[in-house]
Amino acid sequence: MKDETDIQVGTDVRITGGPFTDFMSPVVAVDHDRGRVELMVDIFGDATRIDIPLSDVVRVV
């Protein structure tokens, strides 16, 4: 199991699962209790806030 505590607001991440796979974004909010993360992704030229499972993101090094 990966250490998800290194994902914080401002951390750059890549989405690894779901319909937004391979999108990259900085983290806007993290809810470790629910295991969710909020990101701003560019969809058709508009910044859209999405809420996805924390397990579907990896930190960009």
Side-chain angles (χ1 to χ4, degrees):
M1 184 173 170
K2 67 182 175 182
D3 182 16
E4 295 169 342
T5 59
D6 64 340
I7 305 292
Q8 300 175 9
V9 173
T11 301
D12 289 325
V13 296
R14 182 175 53 84
I15 302 171
T16 60
F20 300 104
T21 298
D22 291 330
F23 278 59
M24 293 177 57
S25 171
V27 174
V28 176
V30 180
D31 186 342
H32 287 286
D33 294 331
R34 288 182 42 232
R36 308 288 291 182
V37 63
E38 291 186 21
L39 309 172
M40 291 294 286
V41 296
D42 183 28
I43 301 173
F44 300 118
D46 289 324
T48 304
R49 192 174 193 137
I50 62 170
D51 179 75
I52 62 172
L54 193 53
S55 60
D56 284 352
V57 298
V58 293
R59 185 181 186 129
V60 175
V61 181

